[in-house]
Structure formats: structure tokens, C-alpha cells
Amino acid sequence: MRPLRLEVSAFGPYKEKIVLDFTQFQNQTLFLVSGPTGAGKTTIFDAIAYALYDVASGSSREKDTFKSQFATEEAICYVDLTFEYNGKIYRVRRSPAQLGPGKSGKIINLLADVAFYHDDTVTTKARDANAEIEQLLSLNYEQFKQIVMLPQGEFKKLLESNSNEKETIFRNIFGTEILKSFQEELKEKAKSLQSQATSAQDSLQTAYSFASGISDDALQEVLILQDTERILVRIAELLAALEEERNAKELQLTDLRSQSQSASDTIKLLEDIAQLEARLKILEEEESSVLGWKQQLERHEQAVKAEEKRLLCVATSTNRAAKQDQAKQNDDLFDQLNQASCDKKPAFEAAELAFSLIPGLREQVDAGKEQEKQLVALAKKEKELTGCQKACEDATKELQKHAELKNVQKGKQEQCQQKLAEVQQAQKDFSIIQEQLNVCRMNVQQYDQLHKRIVQTEKLLTEQLEKGERFLILEKAYIAIDKQFKDETLLYNRNIAGILAEQLVGGEACLVCGSTHHPAPAKKTADTLSDQDRELLEKKRNQAYAEYQQATAELTGIRKQLTDLFDDFAVPAETFEIYKQEQQEKRDTEIASENAILLEMKNMQKVLDEEDALVKVQSDIEAKLQAIDQNRIALQQTLLLNETLSRDLLADIDQEKQVLGDKDLATVQKEILQLNEKIDTCTGDYNKLKSELTELEKQLAVCLANRTTYSAQVEEATTALLDAETIYATVLATAGLEEPFNQLILDKSLFLDIQKRIRSHEDDLNVTATRLRDQRKAAAALDPDQTIAACADQKVLLDNAIRESEEQKDQLAGDIQMLRKAAQEIAAIYKKQQQIIADYQKYRTLSDIANGTKETDYISFERYVLAIYYEEIIEAANLRFQQMTNNRYLLLRKEDKGKGAGAKGLDLDVFDHYTGQTRSVKTLSGGESFKASLALALGLSDVMQSRSGGIQIDTLFIDEGFGSLDPESLDSAIEALFSLNSSGRLVGIISHVEELKTRIPVHIEIDRTAEGSTAKIIL
């Protein structure tokens, strides 16, 4: 990815839109982003990271805070990045969630927005755009941050992180998540299988318990031993024996049950015969009672028929009386209706006469309504006249007010023009003071740079004293231990013959001459150190020498730096304090001048700030004057129009009043109302009386028709009564009954009960006789001596035998079922357990190898693979690290186990050629750490690009770190970065180091003002 054009607006400290065209760099591949602290240097990198990945470059910034605090709510915050990748041009534009203007102009909460332009299409969904950009670059955000963009504060993470942290970083970069997942799956699988094996063993113990209740000594013995295979064999043997015994019991039970059933049948047959004989005797004794019930029912039926005929006579008599009453009521109604009709005829004739006068009344109403219309029109014209006269008065008053307002606005316009003239003069003065301020700031900046070097000199002087004291101590310690080592070595050399003589054994060959005879062995002249003690002393001497050499190198470096600084100052070291005081006074004077100029500019700025407001005020005044003139013309036209209308209306009103005379609208309307009420009353009375007479005539006609009908009905009812009385007398005579006969009629429930008892007796008698005949026929084949008691005794003996056999059979069935269940459970669990144990052993071995154990020095499969990448990264990094440190340092992967049982394999050490020793990278100084981090980042970028064919890393961004380098180290670092020119890689640096401005020809200069920052490219 290589940026071509970056456009940001209302983003971070940038209030206005800024555009950075990276194509202006041409063949220059190294550029510097410079500017004061807080001006927005890192924001340039933030904008690129946000455009590509929807996040900032560092971990301390949130995208919801991207909108500039200098910008207004109407401004829209966005980033627009055009970049090149693999020869193709791409563009992405993003804007975060923010407050901004809606379609209606009202300030609302705007949602985040994105547009990714690629292959003649545009992606506008954030999730899709993020995925497409990540797929295009073949880098996720974490990889991008470690390889392409090195944020401030996170630069040394890769260098000083431990194996666990590096593993996480490299996992993201080299995509070894699949290996990590593979390791975790193996571990989880082994853990799961171990748990399953334990669970299977518990299940097997439970299955053993199914067979623990079987009373078999051989089975209980193998259960105690938990020998599963022998348990299954013994259970199979027991099942075969128990099945054979259960079959024999089943045959025995079948025979006993057959005998018992035969005895039960005989007992039941004899008992049924005895019961049926007794029941038949009882039923025969009840025959006389049943005959009386039948006679009672016959008399009941005769009385019921006679009662029905009596009730018919009563009903017929009641019907005739009712018909006679209806005929009388109809005659009375006819007389009443006839009288009412005669009473209403005079009133109807009077109403009919009044109804004939209604047409004349309607003509009077029409004439009144015509007068009403003329009076309403007159009132409307009078109201219009009043409105026109009021409008004329209002227009006259408004014309006076507009004249006064115009005079006021004219005065304000003259005052505004005077103030604008003052602002124009202040602008000319401000430009002069601005030039003075720029000169003053340049001087202050030069003194600030000089001050930094003076502070650096003081720090080096202090460090020189400390390092000098340490050098003397280390020199003295080295001389002492060196002398001790040389003395001990000399003493050892002098006593080597005596030392060898002490090792001689009688009869064994001498190591020097080979003789087995030792007549006069040499003697030691003094005690010497053992070989182990001398080696330990030598190591201490070498350590002291290394520390002495390091102190010498450090002290020499400090002295060289001080000499260079004093040469730059052009003063001897003795007068440094005087020089420092003079420069501080000059710096303070320039700062005071700068502050005075700033104060004066601030005061002038207040005047200048009024320009926009004054221009706006002047524009408002001109608009108001124009509006006043327009309103005045409209008011004059309104006044003229209303005066004309008033004259015309006044003439019309006078003419109409002469025609109408003295009548008013209320009197005319009252007369019309009274006439309408009279018409409504006459019409209502006529219609009401006419309707009532018509209804009376209809009712009289109905009464005449009903009189004939009711007469025929009375005659018919009389005939029916005579017939009913004749039939009733005949029924009484036939049945031989006399009134009253109610006592012969039974209650319904009693009648039904007697019927039921008779029917039940007859059914019971028939059934009992039939069954007794059948049972006696069945008992004919029995032994005459057989009795119920003898058969019962025999059945008791047979049932006891059956019960005992069934208990024995159930016991056998329970044992068989338990043994079968035990055999099935034990066999299934045992088979499963064996498979689980085999799988567990296999997966545990694989998991231990993949995840790293003590035997593999805690190096996992993933870390082993990453170590291969890491070796390549270190090798690539050392090419630049050695260059930047003048071949002093070399990065090494730590291969020894170290302390503890934690993750190993990715820790980093540094080899120091000055001391010949290896130490941790955490012991490097700040400047050395920066160079190591930079070299490691460049090496990582090289390996990542070479290892992944689809990834093209054309750009590197570095945020800060160069301030910790001395001039020599800075030269080395810059040379290493310039070496990337051969590959065409673009490198951007953010730094406050002033020397970089002279060494790097291309700058993006950030300028900070009170109204936000600006950025521009300087070639």
C-alpha cells in the first residue's frame, strides 16, 4: 500500500480541509512530519489508519473523538485517501458518527459513513468495506500496526515483549491461529478423553453392582478382583444354568394351575345349583302379590280414561264462555268509535278552512325574504366601508413608522462604515506586527535548539563525572584481580611438579615419564588454588576486564560528544557556564519580546475579529433599508386603493337606504318567522285531524267484520259442549265408575314402580328356571359324593403349591434379568473404556508434543513454527542493526530454557561485541532500544513481504523515537532508512529532532494556530 493523496476535513486539530499530495515526492522515499507538540503530526497517520481500518493508528485514540473541536457543528468530519496497491489505484472515504446538518439544515446525530471505490464499483457498508480492504492488503489492523505503521508508545512492544506476547503478535502477522487452534483442540480432546475414561470406570463400577446381589461364590470372587473378562464368562455360565431351572419350574406350574382351575370350576357349579334352587322357591312364593299388582294397574287405566273425558267437558265449557265475552267486547268498541268520529268532524271542518288560506301566507313570506336580502347586502357594504376606513388609518400610521425606521437605519449605516475603515487600517498594522513576530519566533526557536544542546551538555558533564568515578573504581578492581590471577598462575606453574607428584600411585606409571618407580617425588613449595578455584578467579578477572572496557568505551564516547558540543558552541569548557548564562538571558529577552508582540496582536485581533460582524451588520442594514422602501410603496398603494373603495361604497349605501325606507333587518326577519309558524300550525292541525278520522273509519269497519265472526264461533262452541258431555256419561257407565273416582288414579312414580316390579319378577323367574335346568344338566357328569367342602380343601393345597413355585420362578427370573443387564452394561462399558483409553494415550502424547512440556523445553508446535519466522526476522534485522551500531550489537534468539515453566522460545537477547557477552535486550539504553526496535520492524516487514507472495509492503510510518539518538546513531538510523530507497519503499517519520530537517529533504510541516492546525508539503 502506497498513499497517493490524503484529504481530511474537520479532523482532529485540522479545522479546515487539508490535502497532502504524496505524488509530489517524486523519487524521494523518505519524508519527515514535523511541527510543535500537539499540532497534529500523529493525526496524519491516524487519518490513514482510520481510512483503511476504521480505527486510529495508536491504542489511545477513539474514532468517536476524531471530529475537530475547532470545527462548527455544520462542518462534516471526513477522511479521503487515495492509494496504490499492486499497480492499481483505490480510494476510500470515511466519516465517523458526529453531530452535523441534516437535509433540512437542522443539527442532528449523523451515522458513520464509508465509500470504498474499487474496480469501477463502490462499497458503502462498513463491514463489507473493512473486509474488502483487509483482503486486498492481506493485512489486518494488528498486522498493519506491527509492520507498516509503528505508533508512538507502542514502538518497543515487539522488542521487549516476552515469548507469550510475541506469540500473540506473530500469530496475527503470520496467521498461525490454525496451529494454535490445533494445539487447543488436541489439549481439549485429551482432557475430554481423560474425563471419559474416568467416567467409564465409574460406570463400570456401577455395572458391577448389578451382579453383586447374586449368591454365587465364584462370581463374587471375580467381582472383588474386578477382572472384567472373567466376570463376563462366569455370568454367561450362570445364565445358562438359571434358564434351564426356570424352564422346569414353568412346566410344573402349568400342571398345578390346571388342577386348581378344575377344582374351582366344580366348586362354582355346585354353589350355583344351590343358590338357584333357593331363589326359585322365593319367586314362586311371590306370585300372589304380583297378581294383586296387576289388578290395581287395570283399575288405574279405566279411571285415567274417564278423567280425560271429564277434563274435555270442562275445557269445552270454558271455550264457549270466552267466545261470548269476545263478542260483547267487540260491540262495545264499535259504539265508542262511532261516537268519537262524530265528535271530531266539526274541528276538522275548521282546520280545512284554515288550510285553504296558506297560499296567501306564502306570498307574504316571499316578499319579506326579498326585503331581508336587500337589508343584508346593505349591512355588508357598511361593514366593508368601516374596514376600508380602518385600513386607511393603519396605512397612514405605518408610513410614519417606516419613515422613522429609515432614519434610524441610515444612522447605523454611517457608524458601521466608520468602524470598517478602522478595521482596514488595523489589518495593515497587523501584517507589519506579524512579520516582527515571525522574526522573533525564529530567534526563540534557534535559542530553544541551542538550549536543548546546552541541557544535553550539562547532562553529559554530570554523566562524565559519574562514569569517571565508576571508571576509576572498575580500573582499580580490575588491576587488583588481574594481579591476584597472575600471582596465582605463577605460583601454580612453579608448583606443577609437586601437584603432579601428589597424584602418583605406587606401581602405576607416571604421567610425565612413564616410570612405575617413584624414589624422590617433588614437593610443593606453597599451597595453590585448585583448578576449579582458578577457573572461577579467571572468570571474575574476565568479568572485571569486560566492565572496565565498557566503562572505558562509555567514558570515551561521552568525552567525544562533549568535545563536539564545545566545538559547536565555539567556547572552551572553562567558560561554558558564562556562555550558558549569556544565552539564557538572550533567550529570555526574545521570549519577552515575543510575548509583548503576541499581546499587541491579541488586542489587534479583537478589532480584526469585528470585521465579519461589521460586514454582516452592514449587509443587514442595507437589506432592512430595501425592505423599508418596498413596504412603503406597498403601503401607499394600499392607502390609495382603500380611499377609492370608501367613496364608492358610501354612494351605494345612500342610494339603497332611500329605496328601503325606515325598515330594519330584525323587524323583517321577525315577520317572516311569525308567518312561517302560522303556516306550519295550520298544516299540522289539518293533517293530524284528517289522519285521526281516517283511522277511526278503519277501526269501525273491523268491528263490523268481527261481529259476524264472533257470533258463528259462540254457536260452534255450544255444539261441542253438548257432544263432550254425552261421551263422558257413556265412559262412566261402561267402566262402572261413579264420581268421584280420583282415588283409583295412581301417582306416576308409583305406577312405574309397580310396572317395574311385575316385569322384574317375571324376568327373574324365567332366568332362574332356565339357569337351574342348565346347571343340573352340567352336574350330571360329577361324582355324586363330591361336595363343596372337599373340593375347597383340595384347591387350598394346590394354590399353596402354585404360590411357592411362582416365588421360586420369580426369583430365578429376577436373577436372570439382573445378570443379563449386568452382562450387557459391563460388556458395553468395557469395550468403550478400552477404546477411550487407547484414544486418550494417543491424544495425550500428541497434545504434549504440540503444546510443549518440560521434555520439549515448553516450546509448542506454533512457537516452533514462529521461531523459524523469528530467526529470519532477526537475521534481516541484524543487517540494519549492525549498521546502525557500527557492528557493536547483534540480536539473538534466546535458546536456553531459563527459569520457570512458562512459554519459551521467542525471547530476545543482544550480543555485545565490545564485551563479548550476551545480555537481555531490556538492558539497552533508550537510543539503542530505538535502533533495535527500528531494525526489528524493518526485518519483520522484509520477511512478511518475502514470505507472503500476495502482500506488498510499499510504506513504513514511524512515530517518534529519534530524539533518543546521539548524532552518530542518528546518522546510522537515517542511512538504514535511506537504504530502503533501492526497494522503492516510502518511509514517513514523525519527530521533533531538528537535525532531521536538514538531513531529510522532503517535509510535511504542521503549523499550529489558535483556530486549528494546517499542514503543507515542503520539498
Side-chain angles (χ1 to χ4, degrees):
M1 190 283 297
R2 190 182 189 92
L4 300 178
R5 182 181 183 275
L6 176 66
E7 178 182 328
V8 301
S9 179
F11 188 83
Y14 301 102
K15 174 184 177 183
E16 305 296 338
K17 181 176 75 173
I18 65 164
V19 178
L20 298 177
D21 186 358
F22 294 95
T23 59
Q24 297 180 19
F25 295 172
Q26 297 177 356
N27 295 327
Q28 298 293 333
T29 58
L30 186 63
F31 69 93
L32 175 69
V33 182
S34 63
T37 302
K41 299 185 296 297
T42 303
T43 306
I44 300 298
F45 291 176
D46 282 341
I48 295 174
Y50 172 61
L52 294 175
Y53 291 100
D54 201 17
V55 289
S57 63
S59 59
S60 62
R61 296 178 178 90
E62 297 293 336
K63 62 182 179 181
D64 291 342
T65 62
F66 282 161
K67 186 167 183 177
S68 176
Q69 295 182 353
F70 296 102
T72 63
E73 291 184 343
E74 288 78 9
I76 298 296
C77 170
Y78 69 86
V79 174
D80 194 327
L81 174 67
T82 303
F83 62 93
E84 179 185 2
Y85 190 80
N86 282 335
K88 291 185 177 181
I89 306 299
Y90 301 89
R91 179 186 169 209
V92 59
R93 178 189 174 97
R94 288 187 194 269
S95 59
Q98 58 187 296
L99 289 175
K103 293 182 178 179
S104 62
K106 184 179 178 182
I107 301 301
I108 60 173
N109 287 315
L110 298 177
L111 299 177
D113 187 33
V114 64
F116 177 42
Y117 300 87
H118 59 99
D119 300 326
D120 297 329
T121 61
V122 182
T123 302
T124 57
K125 289 186 178 180
R127 181 181 298 177
D128 296 342
N130 295 344
E132 290 172 358
I133 293 173
E134 185 173 320
Q135 183 179 7
L136 172 69
L137 301 182
S138 300
L139 295 172
N140 60 30
Y141 170 64
E142 291 298 328
Q143 294 170 333
F144 182 82
K145 193 167 67 171
Q146 293 292 337
I147 299 171
V148 177
M149 187 169 290
L150 306 178
Q152 183 177 5
E154 301 182 23
F155 201 83
K156 295 168 61 179
K157 275 188 178 180
L158 183 61
L159 178 70
E160 298 183 353
S161 56
N162 57 33
S163 289
N164 268 334
E165 294 167 344
K166 283 190 179 74
E167 185 176 32
T168 301
I169 295 171
F170 288 151
R171 180 181 299 129
N172 291 328
I173 294 174
F174 293 106
T176 58
E177 296 89 348
I178 188 172
L179 300 181
K180 180 67 175 177
S181 299
F182 173 65
Q183 294 170 196
E184 293 296 330
E185 287 181 10
L186 287 176
K187 184 186 293 184
E188 290 300 322
K189 183 67 174 178
K191 184 178 179 181
S192 174
L193 288 170
Q194 184 181 19
S195 176
Q196 292 177 30
T198 304
S199 177
Q201 183 61 35
D202 294 340
S203 301
L204 199 59
Q205 293 292 335
T206 303
Y208 288 161
S209 66
F210 294 151
S212 61
I214 304 300
S215 57
D216 182 76
D217 294 340
L219 178 60
Q220 297 304 320
E221 182 179 350
V222 292
L223 283 173
I224 293 172
L225 296 174
Q226 297 188 0
D227 188 340
T228 304
E229 295 181 354
R230 290 177 60 190
I231 289 172
L232 292 172
V233 172
R234 183 55 189 163
I235 288 176
E237 294 173 352
L238 286 174
L239 281 172
L242 291 174
E243 286 284 357
E244 185 177 352
E245 186 177 354
R246 185 179 67 172
N247 293 335
K249 283 292 179 186
E250 187 66 42
L251 294 174
Q252 181 183 359
L253 271 171
T254 302
D255 183 55
L256 289 173
R257 287 182 183 132
S258 177
Q259 296 179 32
S260 176
Q261 185 62 41
S262 178
S264 296
D265 293 344
T266 302
I267 291 171
K268 188 175 185 307
L269 180 61
L270 294 174
E271 288 177 345
D272 287 347
I273 291 173
Q275 291 174 359
L276 290 170
E277 288 175 345
R279 179 62 180 164
L280 183 61
K281 184 178 179 181
I282 293 170
L283 291 172
E284 289 174 348
E285 291 174 352
E286 293 176 351
E287 278 294 324
S288 58
S289 299
V290 172
L291 182 59
W293 293 342
K294 290 181 178 179
Q295 292 175 352
Q296 188 179 4
L297 288 179
E298 184 179 356
R299 300 298 292 168
H300 165 79
E301 291 174 353
Q302 292 174 348
V304 168
K305 290 180 181 179
E307 180 65 16
E308 288 177 355
K309 301 304 178 182
R310 186 186 70 79
L311 292 174
L312 179 60
C313 290
V314 173
T316 306
S317 176
T318 303
N319 182 50
R320 186 183 67 172
K323 294 299 180 182
Q324 290 173 346
D325 289 342
Q326 287 179 349
K328 185 178 183 304
Q329 290 174 3
N330 185 68
D331 291 341
D332 295 341
L333 179 61
F334 178 80
D335 294 339
Q336 293 173 3
L337 292 173
N338 192 30
Q339 183 63 40
S341 177
C342 292
D343 294 342
K344 288 186 180 290
K345 281 182 178 180
F348 174 70
E349 291 172 354
E352 189 175 21
L353 178 60
F355 184 75
S356 64
L357 299 176
I358 287 177
L361 295 174
R362 292 189 190 279
E363 290 177 358
Q364 295 178 24
V365 170
D366 292 339
K369 287 184 177 180
E370 184 63 30
Q371 288 182 348
E372 182 185 20
K373 289 181 182 179
Q374 293 174 354
L375 288 170
V376 168
L378 178 62
K380 184 177 180 182
K381 289 182 179 180
E382 289 177 343
K383 186 176 180 181
E384 289 179 1
L385 177 61
T386 304
C388 289
Q389 291 172 347
K390 179 70 168 56
C392 290
E393 294 175 1
D394 293 342
T396 303
K397 293 178 181 178
E398 286 297 320
L399 284 171
Q400 293 175 355
K401 289 182 181 178
H402 278 65
E404 295 173 358
L405 287 173
K406 185 173 183 180
N407 293 332
V408 172
Q409 294 300 325
K410 284 286 186 180
K412 290 182 178 180
Q413 188 179 38
E414 293 175 359
Q415 294 176 1
C416 187
Q417 289 173 348
Q418 292 176 359
K419 290 183 178 180
L420 280 172
E422 295 175 0
V423 170
Q424 292 173 356
Q425 182 60 41
Q427 287 176 340
K428 296 177 182 178
D429 297 339
F430 188 82
S431 300
I432 298 172
I433 296 176
Q434 180 70 49
E435 294 177 359
Q436 297 175 359
L437 178 63
N438 292 337
V439 173
C440 188
R441 281 182 170 173
M442 290 179 60
N443 294 335
V444 171
Q445 194 172 18
Q446 292 175 357
Y447 282 119
D448 284 341
Q449 295 174 3
L450 182 61
H451 178 69
K452 289 180 181 178
R453 296 169 66 192
I454 290 173
V455 171
Q456 182 184 3
T457 303
E458 291 178 326
K459 182 178 178 182
L460 287 172
L461 288 171
T462 303
E463 192 175 352
Q464 182 183 26
L465 291 175
E466 294 173 354
K467 297 291 185 181
E469 293 175 358
R470 183 172 180 273
F471 169 78
L472 294 175
I473 294 171
L474 293 174
E475 183 182 36
K476 183 177 180 182
Y478 168 68
I479 292 172
I481 197 169
D482 182 64
K483 182 176 181 303
Q484 181 184 358
F485 176 73
K486 289 179 179 178
D487 292 343
E488 290 295 337
T489 302
L490 180 61
L491 182 60
Y492 175 80
N493 292 334
R494 290 176 178 175
N495 286 280
I496 194 167
I499 293 171
L500 292 173
E502 289 180 348
Q503 300 175 4
L504 294 176
V505 179
E508 293 182 2
C510 175
L511 297 175
V512 178
C513 64
S515 174
T516 58
H517 181 60
H518 317 297
K523 302 294 183 180
K524 289 196 298 185
T525 58
D527 291 336
T528 61
L529 295 176
S530 63
D531 291 343
Q532 184 178 0
D533 291 339
R534 280 191 303 101
E535 288 177 1
L536 181 60
L537 182 62
E538 185 177 9
K539 286 183 179 180
K540 289 182 179 179
R541 171 186 171 275
N542 292 339
Q543 179 65 29
Y545 177 73
E547 292 176 354
Y548 167 68
Q549 287 294 328
Q550 183 179 359
T552 302
E554 291 175 352
L555 188 60
T556 302
I558 292 171
R559 288 172 178 169
K560 184 178 182 306
Q561 292 181 53
L562 285 171
T563 302
D564 293 340
L565 287 169
F566 287 136
D567 290 342
D568 291 342
F569 296 150
V571 296
E574 295 78 8
T575 62
F576 173 70
E577 287 296 329
I578 299 173
Y579 174 78
K580 181 182 74 172
Q581 186 65 30
E582 290 175 351
Q583 297 304 318
Q584 182 64 38
E585 291 175 356
K586 292 180 180 179
R587 179 173 177 270
D588 292 343
T589 301
E590 290 295 334
I591 291 175
S593 300
E594 180 185 10
N595 292 334
I597 294 172
L598 285 173
L599 180 60
E600 186 177 357
M601 289 181 68
K602 183 178 180 181
N603 295 330
M604 295 182 68
Q605 187 65 44
K606 293 179 180 178
V607 178
L608 295 174
D609 291 342
E610 294 178 358
E611 181 180 13
D612 293 339
L614 290 171
V615 172
K616 186 175 183 303
V617 169
Q618 187 178 28
S619 177
D620 291 344
I621 291 171
E622 291 174 353
K624 288 178 181 179
L625 287 171
Q626 185 177 1
I628 289 170
D629 289 338
Q630 292 175 353
N631 291 339
R632 184 175 57 81
I633 293 170
L635 287 170
Q636 288 173 348
Q637 293 175 350
T638 301
L639 179 60
L640 180 61
L641 177 62
N642 281 291
E643 288 176 346
T644 304
L645 287 174
S646 296
R647 287 193 299 269
D648 295 342
L649 287 170
L650 189 59
D652 292 343
I653 290 170
D654 291 340
Q655 184 179 358
E656 290 178 5
K657 280 185 177 181
Q658 291 176 2
V659 175
L660 291 172
D662 297 333
K663 286 191 175 182
D664 59 82
L665 180 63
T667 303
V668 172
Q669 288 177 339
K670 184 176 180 182
E671 291 175 353
I672 293 171
L673 181 61
Q674 290 173 350
L675 288 170
N676 284 328
E677 289 176 352
K678 188 174 181 180
I679 291 171
D680 293 340
T681 302
C682 292
T683 303
D685 292 344
Y686 172 76
N687 291 333
K688 179 180 179 184
L689 290 170
K690 184 179 180 180
S691 176
E692 289 175 353
L693 285 172
T694 302
E695 182 64 27
L696 286 171
E697 290 174 354
K698 289 180 181 178
Q699 292 178 6
L700 284 169
V702 171
C703 286
L704 287 173
N706 288 340
R707 178 178 290 178
T708 302
T709 301
Y710 288 147
S711 177
Q713 290 177 352
V714 169
E715 183 179 353
E716 182 180 352
T718 303
T719 302
L721 176 61
L722 293 173
D723 293 341
E725 289 174 347
T726 302
I727 293 171
Y728 176 56
T730 302
V731 170
L732 286 177
T734 303
L737 296 176
E738 294 181 359
E739 292 183 346
F741 49 82
N742 291 339
Q743 69 276 9
L744 297 177
I745 298 176
L746 298 176
D747 181 73
K748 185 177 181 180
S749 60
L750 178 59
F751 172 76
L752 294 175
D753 181 59
I754 292 172
Q755 277 188 331
K756 182 178 179 182
R757 280 187 284 173
I758 293 170
R759 188 165 50 251
S760 176
H761 172 78
E762 292 175 347
D763 292 343
D764 197 2
L765 181 62
N766 292 332
V767 170
T768 302
T770 302
R771 288 186 61 195
L772 180 59
R773 185 170 54 252
D774 293 341
Q775 294 294 70
R776 284 174 178 173
K777 185 178 180 180
L782 295 178
D783 187 354
D785 296 332
Q786 279 186 320
T787 62
I788 293 174
C791 290
D793 293 340
Q794 182 185 5
K795 187 175 186 310
V796 169
L797 295 175
L798 289 170
D799 289 345
N800 290 336
I802 290 171
R803 192 181 306 108
E804 183 178 352
S805 295
E806 283 179 342
E807 290 175 355
Q808 293 173 357
K809 178 191 168 186
D810 291 342
Q811 179 65 37
L812 289 172
D815 291 348
I816 290 170
Q817 183 178 2
M818 187 178 297
L819 284 173
R820 282 178 178 170
K821 183 176 181 181
Q824 292 173 356
E825 292 288 334
I826 292 171
I829 295 171
Y830 182 65
K831 181 179 179 181
K832 181 180 178 182
Q833 183 193 38
Q834 295 305 305
Q835 183 62 45
I836 290 172
I837 291 172
D839 292 343
Y840 168 66
Q841 291 173 347
K842 177 176 64 176
Y843 278 99
R844 184 185 63 182
T845 303
L846 290 173
S847 176
D848 290 345
I849 294 172
N851 287 283
T853 61
K854 184 177 181 181
E855 288 72 19
T856 61
D857 293 339
Y858 300 101
I859 297 177
S860 66
F861 181 32
E862 180 190 19
R863 202 170 298 120
Y864 177 78
V865 173
L866 291 176
I868 298 173
Y869 288 118
Y870 197 27
E871 291 284 1
E872 295 183 18
I873 293 169
I874 294 171
E875 183 178 353
N878 279 328
L879 295 176
R880 295 184 176 88
F881 191 39
Q882 287 181 301
Q883 175 186 352
M884 286 188 277
T885 60
N886 294 323
N887 292 319
R888 177 178 179 181
Y889 291 118
L890 188 69
L891 296 174
L892 300 173
R893 183 172 70 87
K894 190 174 183 179
E895 297 183 359
D896 60 315
K897 286 177 58 177
K899 296 180 180 180
K904 303 291 186 299
L906 298 178
D907 292 329
L908 197 63
D909 284 337
V910 62
F911 178 75
D912 190 346
H913 285 287
Y914 285 7
T915 63
Q917 295 185 3
T918 300
R919 52 193 171 97
S920 172
V921 292
K922 295 181 181 179
T923 63
L924 294 173
S925 66
E928 292 168 343
S929 294
F930 171 75
K931 288 186 281 187
S933 300
L934 178 58
L936 199 60
L938 295 174
L940 176 60
S941 178
D942 292 341
V943 172
M944 186 69 181
Q945 183 163 304
S946 63
R947 276 281 182 178
S948 303
I951 299 179
Q952 182 176 343
I953 302 174
D954 297 326
T955 309
L956 179 66
F957 300 105
I958 303 172
D959 192 350
E960 292 299 346
F962 292 90
S964 60
L965 302 180
D966 56 54
E968 184 179 355
S969 298
L970 187 61
D971 286 337
S972 302
I974 296 300
E975 288 176 8
L977 294 175
F978 269 122
S979 67
L980 298 176
N981 187 36
S982 59
S983 62
R985 192 178 304 176
L986 183 67
V987 180
I989 299 171
I990 292 178
S991 180
H992 289 281
V993 179
E994 291 295 329
E995 295 181 28
L996 289 177
K997 290 185 178 181
T998 59
R999 303 188 185 195
I1000 299 176
V1002 179
H1003 298 173
I1004 295 179
E1005 188 173 277
I1006 312 298
D1007 188 22
R1008 181 181 61 190
T1009 69
E1011 295 182 353
S1013 299
T1014 60
K1016 59 182 179 180
I1017 295 177
I1018 299 178
L1019 301 175

